[in-house]
Amino acid sequence: MNPKERLYKVLKGEKVDRPPCICPGGMMNMIVEDVMDIEDVKWPKAHIDSKMMADLTQGMYKNNGFENFGVPFCMTVEAEGMGADVYMGTKNTEPRVTQYPIESVADWKNLNKIDVNKGRAKVVIDAIKILKERNEEVPIIANLTGPISLASSLLEPMIYYKEIRRKNQQAHEFMEFVTENLIEFGKAQLQAGADVLTISDPSGTGEILGAKTFNEFAIPYLNKIIDTLKSYAPGGTIIHICGRLKSIYKELNTLHSDAISFDSITSAKQVIENVPNKVIMGNISTFALENSDKESLEVMCNSCLNSGVDILSPACGIGVRTKLENINVLVECAKNHKR
């Protein structure tokens, strides 16, 4: 069973020989300095060059890393396309938003629409086309920043969180606009040849929003993206939510994605018990992945796998200084785990 077949089957709830080991990309960055050095393809240039982007994600797999290709390597592509100023970072720091394009949810009509034929959106799409042409038996993962995380990258987050209550109607109009743009970018990635769609919404947590607001501002827009794009994603769909999930287990069951991915602060066993209708992905601490020795990582990975996760993965975006040999440990643990 090759990596693409294995991930497809897992996301459909079918039996496989052993769990896949993936890191989707996007907010869940999968690139480390070791791979940049081996492949001689480095940030920040790889963020703006489609061939370099494709070569870099392929380099992770070539060097016994994660069993997928995933682009881009940050969560600023959509925000930049909609008008935010972005600093492209360095070899060991990710791009970040440096200036928000609007000052209130009421200003959403001043935002740009994402043009998938221009800028870094086009770089990502062209990178997917290159990977598709190489015809590897490896799943290509398209990535979207979640709607709340994108909204709070276009507007100062504290203002956003206050105005979803104070300017509720305009906040929903803003979210509709954000969601439509995400759908266009996601559709373009999938039509370019991506197999699986991952949406990562680190700012849309139950801890920040509370269950009621999560149900009002996260669930409907995440589900709208999934419902619109699932027919374009032959391999399936994944949603990643950060923070403690205990307060929103009920709401997570209403997500329309095939799989749920989550932070290391949340117990995989508890998620399995409380979210029974989802494929479970996770959730190795990225701090541990960067700082622990091989033996400690093996214990963590085997504990995670024995708890019943379906897909072994880091719990968030990995640190760029994480050693490739530590990533190799995750992959080997997944390969040696029999179902």
Side-chain angles (χ1 to χ4, degrees), residues 256-274:
H256 296 173
S257 62
D258 298 303
I260 182 76
S261 164
F262 47 93
D263 212 334
S264 59
I265 200 169
T266 292
S267 159
K269 185 178 180 181
Q270 287 184 10
V271 177
I272 291 166
E273 291 172 353
N274 287 280

mmCIF file of all heavy atoms in Angstrom, residues 256-274:
data_model
loop_
_atom_site.group_PDB
_atom_site.id
_atom_site.type_symbol
_atom_site.label_atom_id
_atom_site.label_comp_id
_atom_site.label_asym_id
_atom_site.label_seq_id
_atom_site.Cartn_x
_atom_site.Cartn_y
_atom_site.Cartn_z
ATOM 1 N N HIS A 256 -18.039 18.874 9.359
ATOM 2 C CA HIS A 256 -18.271 17.989 8.218
ATOM 3 C C HIS A 256 -16.992 17.403 7.645
ATOM 4 O O HIS A 256 -17.040 16.704 6.637
ATOM 5 C CB HIS A 256 -19.032 18.742 7.123
ATOM 6 C CG HIS A 256 -20.400 19.166 7.530
ATOM 7 N ND1 HIS A 256 -21.211 19.970 6.748
ATOM 8 C CD2 HIS A 256 -21.127 18.898 8.656
ATOM 9 C CE1 HIS A 256 -22.353 20.191 7.372
ATOM 10 N NE2 HIS A 256 -22.334 19.552 8.527
ATOM 11 N N SER A 257 -15.843 17.672 8.264
ATOM 12 C CA SER A 257 -14.576 17.123 7.768
ATOM 13 C C SER A 257 -14.504 15.626 8.066
ATOM 14 O O SER A 257 -15.179 15.114 8.966
ATOM 15 C CB SER A 257 -13.396 17.824 8.436
ATOM 16 O OG SER A 257 -13.409 17.605 9.837
ATOM 17 N N ASP A 258 -13.645 14.935 7.321
ATOM 18 C CA ASP A 258 -13.418 13.509 7.584
ATOM 19 C C ASP A 258 -12.596 13.307 8.853
ATOM 20 O O ASP A 258 -12.817 12.351 9.588
ATOM 21 C CB ASP A 258 -12.687 12.863 6.397
ATOM 22 C CG ASP A 258 -13.502 12.933 5.120
ATOM 23 O OD1 ASP A 258 -14.645 12.440 5.119
ATOM 24 O OD2 ASP A 258 -13.011 13.501 4.127
ATOM 25 N N ALA A 259 -11.625 14.205 9.086
ATOM 26 C CA ALA A 259 -10.701 14.033 10.202
ATOM 27 C C ALA A 259 -10.603 15.305 11.026
ATOM 28 O O ALA A 259 -10.846 16.408 10.538
ATOM 29 C CB ALA A 259 -9.313 13.652 9.684
ATOM 30 N N ILE A 260 -10.225 15.122 12.295
ATOM 31 C CA ILE A 260 -9.957 16.237 13.190
ATOM 32 C C ILE A 260 -8.524 16.097 13.711
ATOM 33 O O ILE A 260 -8.107 15.017 14.114
ATOM 34 C CB ILE A 260 -10.981 16.283 14.357
ATOM 35 C CG1 ILE A 260 -10.729 17.481 15.266
ATOM 36 C CG2 ILE A 260 -10.982 15.004 15.158
ATOM 37 C CD1 ILE A 260 -11.184 18.784 14.686
ATOM 38 N N SER A 261 -7.797 17.207 13.655
ATOM 39 C CA SER A 261 -6.430 17.278 14.164
ATOM 40 C C SER A 261 -6.419 18.283 15.306
ATOM 41 O O SER A 261 -7.159 19.267 15.278
ATOM 42 C CB SER A 261 -5.489 17.706 13.033
ATOM 43 O OG SER A 261 -4.243 18.146 13.523
ATOM 44 N N PHE A 262 -5.541 18.081 16.307
ATOM 45 C CA PHE A 262 -5.632 18.920 17.500
ATOM 46 C C PHE A 262 -4.285 19.004 18.213
ATOM 47 O O PHE A 262 -3.356 18.234 17.963
ATOM 48 C CB PHE A 262 -6.707 18.384 18.450
ATOM 49 C CG PHE A 262 -6.621 16.897 18.685
ATOM 50 C CD1 PHE A 262 -5.914 16.398 19.762
ATOM 51 C CD2 PHE A 262 -7.215 16.017 17.797
ATOM 52 C CE1 PHE A 262 -5.826 15.028 19.972
ATOM 53 C CE2 PHE A 262 -7.118 14.636 17.997
ATOM 54 C CZ PHE A 262 -6.425 14.140 19.086
ATOM 55 N N ASP A 263 -4.228 19.938 19.139
ATOM 56 C CA ASP A 263 -3.015 20.286 19.867
ATOM 57 C C ASP A 263 -2.623 19.216 20.887
ATOM 58 O O ASP A 263 -3.460 18.424 21.331
ATOM 59 C CB ASP A 263 -3.269 21.611 20.607
ATOM 60 C CG ASP A 263 -2.029 22.452 20.742
ATOM 61 O OD1 ASP A 263 -0.929 21.891 20.739
ATOM 62 O OD2 ASP A 263 -2.176 23.686 20.854
ATOM 63 N N SER A 264 -1.351 19.212 21.282
ATOM 64 C CA SER A 264 -0.853 18.225 22.245
ATOM 65 C C SER A 264 -1.397 18.448 23.651
ATOM 66 O O SER A 264 -1.329 17.552 24.499
ATOM 67 C CB SER A 264 0.679 18.258 22.283
ATOM 68 O OG SER A 264 1.146 19.539 22.645
ATOM 69 N N ILE A 265 -1.955 19.620 23.904
ATOM 70 C CA ILE A 265 -2.515 19.914 25.223
ATOM 71 C C ILE A 265 -3.796 19.112 25.477
ATOM 72 O O ILE A 265 -4.251 18.965 26.603
ATOM 73 C CB ILE A 265 -2.792 21.438 25.360
ATOM 74 C CG1 ILE A 265 -2.888 21.841 26.823
ATOM 75 C CG2 ILE A 265 -4.021 21.864 24.571
ATOM 76 C CD1 ILE A 265 -2.885 23.340 27.039
ATOM 77 N N THR A 266 -4.367 18.574 24.397
ATOM 78 C CA THR A 266 -5.594 17.783 24.489
ATOM 79 C C THR A 266 -5.257 16.296 24.409
ATOM 80 O O THR A 266 -4.440 15.877 23.598
ATOM 81 C CB THR A 266 -6.560 18.163 23.356
ATOM 82 O OG1 THR A 266 -7.032 19.499 23.584
ATOM 83 C CG2 THR A 266 -7.757 17.236 23.305
ATOM 84 N N SER A 267 -5.901 15.500 25.238
ATOM 85 C CA SER A 267 -5.678 14.055 25.262
ATOM 86 C C SER A 267 -6.306 13.385 24.042
ATOM 87 O O SER A 267 -7.506 13.550 23.777
ATOM 88 C CB SER A 267 -6.301 13.459 26.533
ATOM 89 O OG SER A 267 -6.531 12.082 26.402
ATOM 90 N N ALA A 268 -5.492 12.632 23.307
ATOM 91 C CA ALA A 268 -6.012 11.907 22.143
ATOM 92 C C ALA A 268 -7.092 10.917 22.566
ATOM 93 O O ALA A 268 -8.113 10.762 21.880
ATOM 94 C CB ALA A 268 -4.874 11.182 21.433
ATOM 95 N N LYS A 269 -6.883 10.274 23.693
ATOM 96 C CA LYS A 269 -7.856 9.297 24.179
ATOM 97 C C LYS A 269 -9.205 9.950 24.425
ATOM 98 O O LYS A 269 -10.256 9.390 24.083
ATOM 99 C CB LYS A 269 -7.338 8.640 25.459
ATOM 100 C CG LYS A 269 -8.220 7.521 25.977
ATOM 101 C CD LYS A 269 -7.615 6.874 27.217
ATOM 102 C CE LYS A 269 -8.517 5.755 27.734
ATOM 103 N NZ LYS A 269 -7.951 5.134 28.965
ATOM 104 N N GLN A 270 -9.200 11.157 25.005
ATOM 105 C CA GLN A 270 -10.458 11.853 25.276
ATOM 106 C C GLN A 270 -11.161 12.266 23.986
ATOM 107 O O GLN A 270 -12.390 12.211 23.895
ATOM 108 C CB GLN A 270 -10.198 13.067 26.161
ATOM 109 C CG GLN A 270 -9.890 12.730 27.598
ATOM 110 C CD GLN A 270 -9.740 13.961 28.470
ATOM 111 O OE1 GLN A 270 -10.044 15.077 28.053
ATOM 112 N NE2 GLN A 270 -9.265 13.763 29.689
ATOM 113 N N VAL A 271 -10.387 12.700 22.997
ATOM 114 C CA VAL A 271 -10.996 13.074 21.717
ATOM 115 C C VAL A 271 -11.628 11.852 21.067
ATOM 116 O O VAL A 271 -12.753 11.908 20.553
ATOM 117 C CB VAL A 271 -9.960 13.725 20.778
ATOM 118 C CG1 VAL A 271 -10.588 14.034 19.415
ATOM 119 C CG2 VAL A 271 -9.409 15.008 21.393
ATOM 120 N N ILE A 272 -10.920 10.734 21.100
ATOM 121 C CA ILE A 272 -11.458 9.497 20.520
ATOM 122 C C ILE A 272 -12.771 9.115 21.190
ATOM 123 O O ILE A 272 -13.733 8.696 20.537
ATOM 124 C CB ILE A 272 -10.417 8.359 20.644
ATOM 125 C CG1 ILE A 272 -9.226 8.648 19.720
ATOM 126 C CG2 ILE A 272 -11.035 7.006 20.317
ATOM 127 C CD1 ILE A 272 -8.005 7.795 20.010
ATOM 128 N N GLU A 273 -12.826 9.301 22.500
ATOM 129 C CA GLU A 273 -14.043 8.944 23.250
ATOM 130 C C GLU A 273 -15.193 9.908 22.994
ATOM 131 O O GLU A 273 -16.366 9.500 22.989
ATOM 132 C CB GLU A 273 -13.730 8.924 24.749
ATOM 133 C CG GLU A 273 -12.820 7.781 25.169
ATOM 134 C CD GLU A 273 -12.371 7.898 26.620
ATOM 135 O OE1 GLU A 273 -12.666 8.957 27.247
ATOM 136 O OE2 GLU A 273 -11.737 6.953 27.126
ATOM 137 N N ASN A 274 -14.872 11.185 22.769
ATOM 138 C CA ASN A 274 -15.915 12.212 22.688
ATOM 139 C C ASN A 274 -16.269 12.657 21.272
ATOM 140 O O ASN A 274 -17.285 13.318 21.076
ATOM 141 C CB ASN A 274 -15.486 13.441 23.500
ATOM 142 C CG ASN A 274 -15.559 13.203 24.990
ATOM 143 O OD1 ASN A 274 -16.617 13.278 25.590
ATOM 144 N ND2 ASN A 274 -14.413 12.893 25.597
#
